[in-house]
Amino acid sequence: YAINFAEAIQTAIDERNFRVATRLLYLQTLRKLADAELITWKINKTNDVYLHEISSATLRESFGFLTRAYEYAWYGAMPLDGVQFKDIHQQFLNFNNNISA
């Protein structure tokens, strides 16, 4: 909770470090889900556990896509170019807007 996500994400984007930017977007999304009481954040939980905590089928499906994108980029070290990241970034923005709605 100590991370200024907006600043850290923008720095990663400016440095074209889309892998780190994707990780930060995912962590920011977990925080928003926890703040909205849609998940219960704990350090030892897996992404799959968080996914199953979301009761809304629509949000769960969208979060599943984001989880896969994050896992491919972070754990799979999938290279992301600016075009691919732009799409993923928009998906995160859309999802986070739906949490707030």
Side-chain angles (χ1 to χ4, degrees):
Y1 278 84
I3 297 172
N4 179 334
F5 283 108
E7 184 178 301
I9 291 165
Q10 191 57 55
T11 298
I13 292 170
D14 292 345
E15 294 172 355
R16 300 189 54 77
N17 193 341
F18 301 125
R19 185 172 173 253
V20 168
T22 301
R23 176 174 173 75
L24 291 166
L25 285 164
Y26 193 78
L27 293 174
Q28 178 185 49
T29 299
L30 287 176
R31 182 158 119 188
K32 288 186 177 207
L33 286 166
D35 289 347
E37 299 181 352
L38 297 171
I39 64 168
T40 303
W41 184 86
K42 289 188 181 177
I43 198 160
N44 59 347
K45 284 189 179 179
T46 65
N47 297 334
D48 196 48
V49 170
Y50 289 126
L51 183 64
H52 291 292
E53 285 185 19
I54 299 171
S55 60
S56 163
T58 303
L59 284 179
R60 190 172 47 251
E61 183 179 337
S62 297
F63 186 66
F65 170 82
L66 297 176
T67 298
R68 283 187 302 281
Y70 161 66
E71 288 177 347
Y72 284 140
W74 190 251
Y75 299 113
M78 179 182 82
L80 291 174
D81 63 24
V83 173
Q84 292 166 316
F85 176 75
K86 184 177 178 182
D87 180 51
I88 290 169
H89 190 191
Q90 189 60 52
Q91 295 288 335
F92 273 102
L93 292 174
N94 292 345
F95 182 82
N96 286 327
N97 286 337
N98 286 334
I99 293 171
S100 301

